[in-house]
Amino acid sequence: MVWLSSRWRIALMVAPAIIVFTGLIVYPVIYSAGYSLTDFAGFGDPVFVGLKNYIDLWNDPFFWSSLRNTLIILVVSIVVLVPSSFGLALLLRRRFPGGGALRALVFAPAIIAPILIGLIWVFILDPKIGMLNHFLGWLGLPQPEWIGGNVLTPYSVALVFIWSSVGFAMTIFYAGLQQLPGDVIEASSLDGASGWKQLLYVTVPLMKESFAIASVLLITNVFKIFELVYVLTNGGPVHRSETLVSYMYFITFTNQQYGSGMALAVIITVLGAVVSLAYLLVLRGRKSE
Amino acid sequence: MSSAVQTAPTATTPTPTPVPTAARERRRRKGGIIAAVAAYLITFLVLLPIVWIVLLSFQSSSKILSNPLDLSSLSLTNYVHALTSLPLAQMYGNTILLAVVSVTIGTAISFMVSFALTRMIFRRRRVQSALRFYLLAGLAVPVYILLFPVYRLDLAIGVFGSYAALIIPYVGVSIPFNTLLLTGFLRDLPSEIEEAAIIDGAGLSRLIWSVVLPVMRPVIATVLIFNVVYVFNEFPFASILINNPDMVTVSLAVSQFQGQYSIDYGGMMAAATLVLIPQLVIYAIFQKQVIAGMTVGAVKG
Amino acid sequence: MHSTHHPKRLAAVVAVATAVALSIAGCSAGSSSGPTKISLSMQNPNVKTADPATWAIVQAFEKKYPNISVTVTGQPVAQHLQAISVAAQSHTLPDIFWVYKSTAEQMNKAGDLMDLAPVLKSLGLTDKIASSTLDNFSTGKVTYGVPYQGLLTGIWYNKKILSDNGLTVPKTFDDFVNVAKTLHSKGITTLSDGANQSSFSVWSFLVDLDRYGWESKEASILAGTSSYDNPDFINFYDSIAKLRKAGAFPSNVTTQTYQQAVNEFTSGKAAMLDAGIWASSAIQDSSVAPDAGFWNGPTFSDGVGKQDIVMNVASAPFAVSADVQKNDKKSAAVKKFIAFYYSDAAQQLLVDNGQPPVTNYTPKLDATKQSVLKGALEASTAAGLTSPKTQPDLVVSTAVASAMYDSIYGVIEGQLTSKQAVDLVQKAIEAGK
């Protein structure tokens, strides 16, 4: 590899992505971070206000409740999604009639635009017109306020997020499984390793990058959840079910407080990056033990 | 979902053992049936809400709100309405064009950088991992922070109002995601084969085209699928950067039924179904041909 | 296959794809000969179906002036405003566009809008459009907006549901609470509202805010010399809480949308609907049309404002981009469009599509096919009724308007006490200083 890694070869391979990424992602983030220090309202000239927007957010109870909701969704989603989508990938890797079609169908929710996902689930979760409560009522069970109440909304959003992401995460694990060297599995099964042991000691360690990939994507996607909340409750009642991005959208576009909205957007970016990085470091630390 | 986890372990022995005893064979077959039943059941649960959309798409808007389960009043009205009011062919044409160009560029340049970051030897190792984290940090960026600056950028480089106005940000946004997937899988991939190829005297290009890419097919397929789905569903950029009715994409189709004081739920459901089904078919073909078929030989080498 | 690889194949793929992208970029520039093109950008993605009045006027205009073509585009409100905001930064605004008044005011300050006062004057429209409306869209001598459609708001009721339950249309707030109590005991929603996607759908309560003295307090509250947290407004929110306790609102008010609220009324499941004149078409098309009536809202014994009022003002305005003035052909075409929009023919088109006229034109109405609209227009012009000069949320910034909506829905949903509700709005007013 060494003699293929001349300086100009590396530059040629790296430059296009780095240039496009810097121009289209990094530069805009810096640009918007600049606006987060102003009182810009979408029109006219921005006036520099220092850290005022950040301090206002710190003192804003709705910011804290949207952070809390986002963290609830994060924990619930990761705990449920990672094992279940990995399990599903293992399951769908088996050969049985219609297996290929099932793989496509399980992925289907990931194809639907998030705004539509919200729309479908309104008709399922709405406390009054939703299918779920009709069904529970028919069974004579209590009918909770899945969305729109004070308690359950973030959990319901997590449920919908899990539904919409399970096929997506499964596909990542599935691709990882397909890449596993077949002889490794063969060898371990010939050694008489029982199913569970083989899974834990052979398959999972070989798949550590797949786990890292799936987890980082899920974490960063949770930090970006917007349309689900926007359609299910629009953050209501009175912003109690907002997530960070839905609240940022409200500030930026509904209230037209562009400066404050960008301050929140910067916070979301930093939080998403820090949480994923921390997760990766923990994962790496544990693996090397 | 817990059933998936419990039955999962048996699934990792797809290769038949050379001398199967009768008991082992029976156990395997039993496990296979349980796995199949579980897979069908889970898929059914996942699909239930989608069946729900399709059902609602045959219902009038007022029925959807008052009595959605009334099967006596199903009709094709929403479809007629959606097909006549939406320029679907144009929308698909635009979207496919955007998807093909942006996904090709995005995947190619992401693959190049990912290969360099995992396989090539940098003078300073730190630079290599720093660059990777630099690109991955882009995953944490919510799209709304980009809209306004990207709009200005499009104007500044003179592409606003053209397809390139959307292609450029789509390529940009796909880089962190693609890099995560590609570097991750490249790391898991044993490098012995490549080393053998290098010893055989392969150059960089040949190494990539004939050795690495064939083995990476499942991952590239995954990357392509996710990228295409992203372009099909992308709404925020499309809603800001398209100002010409002739350039609308399918992601804008569903919002066409939402007015200031009115929402045509039936129309939305019909549009959603019309947008969803072709994608599902494409995915089904894609995953069967590419993921399942082509990898069998390549992977085990 | 292996032997034929060109060393730079990967780079070539990228180069080809980039070239394709750039060549696509090249074919977008349109030619400028032929008819004059003006663009009209609206707050509905499908103007033809969601805003048939505007669509009809544009069609009639193009027919009358074959040399002018109007490109109508539109998006949902939030995206539309977003697009207007970014376009304003970059001088790519559409020629004519719908926009909130408070946004238009900001844009005017930033110099993004054309002053329409001279146009209106030369067209002789200043006498046809109510002066209060034009004043509302003016600062000093500059008029930055012209009325788009009328905002006639209030409460639609279903006579049959009321009479079936031994009730009549209430007059006072106490009557209203009693109606709610009776209907609630029978499992019927009294007043349908929906907060999801439409936090602004609290029109009847904005009229009530005027009945509690908003108009006389407005200036001092916005100037900061008095507070939104005052005993009268506490009483206003207390009245909403009383309705809530009487069971007036749908149980899923938080998650249902305005559209669902309308459906609850038009399907005969709610006795009343909090909305405005734009709902007349939907009601007309439903089975409740023969029983539908329009009520301007309750009177309050503790209200300190005028009680006999109906909200009959101009909604958000049309604004014209300042850049239009740079192009003579365009500005002539825009002028023609404005002249046409306020002509009697166009005003009749508004009425034909279920909207009240925005000029002093007396419309022709079909007593049976437009019974709902006709009833509402008559109710709104009943003797003794006057209108506030504008709706309270239209004079404040969007952030304060949102806080107003949140405060009202917060009480409807049982999330906020009256004190918390006024605090929420007061905080938003102070934050905007």
Side-chain angles (χ1 to χ4, degrees):
Chain A
M1 205 71 226
V2 178
W3 61 87
L4 293 179
S5 302
S6 70
R7 203 172 264 185
W8 72 267
R9 275 208 182 96
I10 289 178
L12 186 81
M13 298 287 274
V14 167
I18 297 286
I19 291 169
V20 174
F21 176 77
T22 307
L24 270 297
I25 310 286
V26 178
Y27 162 74
V29 168
I30 294 169
Y31 184 97
S32 297
Y35 272 98
S36 76
L37 303 174
T38 71
D39 71 345
F40 191 56
F43 304 97
D45 296 319
V47 175
F48 182 79
V49 294
L51 290 175
K52 180 179 181 294
N53 293 326
Y54 291 88
I55 295 164
D56 287 351
L57 280 173
W58 182 270
N59 294 320
D60 180 353
F62 297 146
F63 164 70
W64 292 105
S65 60
S66 57
L67 178 62
R68 189 183 131 261
N69 291 332
T70 307
L71 294 179
I72 290 176
I73 298 169
L74 181 69
V75 171
V76 174
S77 306
I78 298 304
V79 166
V80 177
L81 254 178
V82 172
S84 61
S85 52
F86 179 56
L88 197 58
L90 289 171
L91 194 60
L92 291 176
R93 198 182 178 230
R94 293 191 73 113
R95 297 223 175 99
F96 49 80
L102 291 193
R103 275 199 298 277
L105 292 173
V106 167
F107 186 73
I111 294 178
I112 307 175
I115 202 109
L116 273 170
I117 291 174
L119 201 63
I120 315 164
W121 282 86
V122 166
F123 290 109
I124 295 169
L125 295 173
D126 186 282
K128 194 170 152 193
I129 62 162
M131 287 285 296
L132 186 54
N133 274 359
H134 273 297
F135 185 64
L136 291 175
W138 182 68
L139 291 176
L141 294 169
Q143 303 171 28
E145 271 191 290
W146 299 108
I147 51 172
N150 287 332
V151 189
L152 289 178
T153 307
Y155 298 94
S156 299
V157 171
L159 168 80
V160 180
F161 178 75
I162 290 166
W163 174 78
S164 69
S165 305
V166 72
F168 170 84
M170 182 279 289
T171 307
I172 293 171
F173 285 123
Y174 187 82
L177 283 171
Q178 290 295 100
Q179 259 198 186
L180 284 186
D183 52 341
V184 172
I185 287 176
E186 227 166 297
S188 73
S189 63
L190 281 174
D191 289 343
S194 76
W196 272 110
K197 272 191 185 154
Q198 183 191 316
L199 179 72
L200 272 177
Y201 297 111
V202 183
T203 315
V204 171
L206 277 173
M207 299 268 298
K208 72 172 187 229
E209 283 297 334
S210 302
F211 275 94
I213 290 169
S215 308
V216 166
L217 283 176
L218 294 174
I219 292 170
T220 49
N221 282 347
V222 167
F223 275 101
K224 288 188 250 181
I225 288 180
F226 163 62
E227 289 92 341
L228 298 184
V229 180
Y230 183 71
V231 181
L232 285 176
T233 62
N234 202 8
V238 216
H239 305 295
R240 299 241 152 103
S241 65
E242 300 272 13
T243 54
L244 288 169
V245 176
S246 75
Y247 191 50
M248 181 207 72
Y249 186 89
F250 170 79
I251 296 178
T252 314
F253 299 112
T254 307
N255 276 358
Q256 295 184 10
Q257 292 168 317
Y258 190 83
S260 311
M262 286 306 105
L264 183 47
V266 169
I267 293 175
I268 295 167
T269 308
V270 171
L271 269 178
V274 166
V275 172
S276 333
L277 186 66
Y279 184 90
L280 279 181
L281 292 178
V282 168
L283 198 74
R284 200 137 294 163
R286 194 185 295 156
K287 284 282 143 61
S288 60
E289 269 168 26
Chain B
M1 287 300 151
S2 62
S3 62
V5 178
Q6 277 159 14
T7 51
T10 54
T12 51
T13 47
T15 34
T17 49
V19 200
T21 65
R24 191 182 275 173
E25 185 60 25
R26 223 180 9 246
R27 211 166 356 147
R28 246 172 46 80
R29 203 169 290 162
K30 201 175 149 202
I33 292 168
I34 294 173
V37 170
Y40 273 94
L41 198 70
I42 293 168
T43 311
F44 172 74
L45 284 177
V46 168
L47 283 183
L48 212 51
I50 297 176
V51 174
W52 186 229
I53 313 187
V54 176
L55 179 71
L56 290 182
S57 70
F58 294 103
Q59 203 73 278
S60 75
S61 288
S62 60
K63 263 279 155 57
I64 288 175
L65 296 177
S66 53
N67 188 11
L69 286 178
D70 179 5
L71 298 178
S72 67
S73 58
L74 301 182
S75 79
L76 286 170
T77 320
N78 293 326
Y79 284 93
V80 174
H81 184 198
L83 288 169
T84 50
S85 68
L86 293 177
L88 270 177
Q90 199 178 30
M91 286 174 146
Y92 264 104
N94 290 333
T95 311
I96 289 168
L97 177 77
L98 288 173
V100 167
V101 179
S102 63
V103 173
T104 308
I105 301 177
T107 310
I109 67 177
S110 305
F111 181 81
M112 287 160 65
V113 76
S114 301
F115 184 84
L117 292 180
T118 48
R119 285 295 195 268
M120 294 170 95
I121 293 153
F122 281 46
R123 219 61 42 100
R124 293 204 191 96
R125 286 247 114 186
R126 283 238 170 110
V127 175
Q128 204 161 2
S129 73
L131 274 180
R132 180 164 177 261
F133 277 112
Y134 176 71
L135 293 177
L136 295 191
L139 284 170
V141 176
V143 59
Y144 296 97
I145 205 171
L146 306 175
L147 293 184
F148 179 46
V150 167
Y151 181 92
R152 300 288 293 260
L153 205 68
D154 275 351
L155 281 170
I157 59 177
V159 295
F160 182 74
S162 72
Y163 290 105
L166 274 173
I167 290 169
I168 294 170
Y170 286 174
V171 170
V173 169
S174 76
I175 291 174
F177 174 85
N178 296 348
T179 306
L180 178 73
L181 251 72
L182 295 170
T183 54
F185 284 112
L186 275 165
R187 282 178 164 196
D188 267 357
L189 198 69
S191 55
E192 292 90 11
I193 327 160
E194 291 156 59
E195 277 150 24
I198 294 171
I199 292 165
D200 287 350
L204 186 56
S205 266
R206 200 172 126 214
L207 184 69
I208 289 174
W209 280 102
S210 345
V211 181
V212 181
L213 275 180
V215 189
M216 290 284 285
R217 266 200 178 114
V219 180
I220 302 270
T222 311
V223 167
L224 291 177
I225 290 169
F226 286 157
N227 279 273
V228 169
V229 166
Y230 167 77
V231 174
F232 267 74
N233 286 336
E234 203 289 324
F235 184 79
F237 277 125
S239 72
I240 291 279
L241 300 176
I242 293 176
N243 65 344
N244 176 352
D246 293 336
M247 283 172 57
V248 289
T249 59
V250 289
S251 65
L252 301 176
V254 173
S255 72
Q256 297 291 310
F257 295 93
Q258 203 172 5
Q260 188 189 15
Y261 292 140
S262 62
I263 302 175
D264 180 353
Y265 285 104
M268 280 177 123
M269 296 298 168
T273 310
L274 290 173
V275 170
L276 178 68
I277 286 174
Q279 289 189 72
L280 214 52
V281 171
I282 293 170
Y283 177 79
I285 296 166
F286 216 85
Q287 70 92 23
K288 203 172 176 187
Q289 297 305 318
V290 181
I291 301 185
M294 294 188 176
T295 55
V296 177
V299 174
K300 304 216 169 131
Chain C
M1 187 138 164
H2 288 193
S3 53
T4 55
H5 285 142
H6 193 270
K8 296 205 168 65
R9 195 153 145 193
L10 200 59
V13 170
V14 177
V16 167
T18 312
V20 170
L22 291 176
S23 63
I24 292 162
C27 19
S28 64
S31 65
S32 59
S33 60
T36 310
K37 276 187 181 169
I38 54 175
S39 53
L40 173 67
S41 179
M42 302 299 295
Q43 81 289 20
N44 286 298
N46 192 334
V47 176
K48 191 176 174 181
T49 53
D51 185 1
T54 301
W55 188 256
I57 293 175
V58 169
Q59 297 308 305
F61 175 76
E62 285 187 324
K63 207 171 164 197
K64 187 171 176 190
Y65 298 101
N67 280 327
I68 305 173
S69 85
V70 184
T71 314
V72 185
T73 55
Q75 292 188 64
V77 181
Q79 276 83 35
H80 171 76
L81 290 172
Q82 211 171 297
I84 292 293
S85 166
V86 287
Q89 305 302 306
S90 325
H91 289 278
T92 50
L93 280 171
D95 300 325
I96 310 174
F97 51 94
W98 176 97
V99 69
Y100 281 137
K101 179 200 136 98
S102 56
T103 311
E105 224 166 21
Q106 283 175 298
M107 296 181 78
N108 182 51
K109 238 184 247 166
D112 296 325
L113 301 182
M114 177 172 158
D115 177 13
L116 298 170
V119 177
L120 293 172
K121 211 173 162 199
S122 72
L123 293 171
L125 288 173
T126 35
D127 301 330
K128 283 185 89 175
I129 304 171
S131 59
S132 62
T133 301
L134 289 180
D135 288 349
N136 189 34
F137 297 143
S138 305
T139 43
K141 281 183 180 162
V142 176
T143 301
Y144 52 78
V146 285
Y148 152 62
Q149 286 175 358
L151 188 69
L152 171 54
T153 71
I155 295 173
W156 297 96
Y157 60 84
N158 185 325
K159 269 178 275 197
K160 189 160 179 298
I161 294 181
L162 292 175
S163 61
D164 284 354
N165 292 285
L167 298 164
T168 53
V169 183
K171 273 199 86 66
T172 67
F173 180 71
D174 294 335
D175 299 341
F176 195 14
V177 171
N178 286 329
V179 166
K181 279 182 182 155
T182 309
L183 291 176
H184 183 61
S185 68
K186 304 198 172 164
I188 300 168
T189 299
T190 301
L191 185 62
S192 196
D193 264 307
N196 191 358
Q197 311 298 305
S198 49
S199 60
F200 50 82
S201 63
V202 286
W203 299 282
S204 77
F205 297 99
L206 294 170
V207 187
D208 293 346
L209 186 58
D210 266 319
R211 294 192 171 105
Y212 277 98
W214 166 263
E215 205 151 42
S216 61
K217 296 183 204 307
E218 179 187 302
S220 62
I221 287 176
L222 296 183
T225 52
S226 71
S227 173
Y228 192 87
D229 179 1
N230 63 66
D232 293 322
F233 288 2
I234 293 274
N235 287 340
F236 161 64
Y237 287 102
D238 283 347
S239 76
I240 305 174
K242 273 182 207 151
L243 276 179
R244 180 180 74 84
K245 280 188 203 122
F249 302 107
S251 60
N252 61 340
V253 62
T254 305
T255 52
Q256 81 170 353
T257 59
Y258 165 72
Q259 183 62 28
Q260 286 169 277
V262 173
N263 196 267
E264 205 179 7
F265 179 75
T266 53
S267 60
K269 287 180 183 157
M272 299 183 190
L273 169 68
D274 180 355
I277 196 76
W278 56 86
S280 68
S281 308
I283 297 171
Q284 191 76 59
D285 294 341
S286 76
S287 57
V288 303
D291 304 312
F294 183 85
W295 177 38
N296 65 327
T299 58
F300 298 85
S301 56
D302 58 349
V304 295
K306 243 180 166 180
Q307 300 297 305
D308 290 330
I309 53 172
V310 62
M311 189 64 72
N312 188 4
V313 298
S315 66
F318 276 126
V320 176
S321 164
D323 292 339
V324 164
Q325 296 160 98
K326 293 179 192 158
N327 182 330
D328 288 344
K329 267 174 124 181
K330 240 184 198 174
S331 65
V334 167
K335 200 171 162 182
K336 278 188 185 130
F337 184 80
I338 291 174
F340 185 77
Y341 196 90
Y342 302 102
S343 69
D344 290 352
Q347 293 299 303
Q348 182 61 39
L349 285 173
L350 277 180
V351 177
D352 292 345
N353 287 285
Q355 298 288 343
V358 290
T359 66
N360 56 8
Y361 169 69
T362 316
K364 295 188 264 302
L365 280 158
D366 187 317
T368 49
K369 279 189 202 147
Q370 290 177 294
S371 60
V372 175
L373 178 66
K374 193 162 189 280
L377 290 178
E378 280 163 9
S380 71
T381 50
L385 277 186
T386 55
S387 173
K389 70 178 183 346
T390 180
Q391 193 171 269
D393 60 324
L394 296 179
V395 293
V396 297
S397 71
T398 36
V400 175
S402 302
M404 280 181 170
Y405 309 142
D406 283 344
S407 70
I408 293 170
Y409 265 122
V411 177
I412 289 176
E413 293 161 342
Q415 297 290 324
L416 301 176
T417 64
S418 301
K419 177 74 175 112
Q420 288 168 329
V422 291
D423 280 348
L424 189 73
V425 181
Q426 181 59 27
K427 256 171 79 186
I429 294 170
E430 282 164 17
K433 285 269 157 317

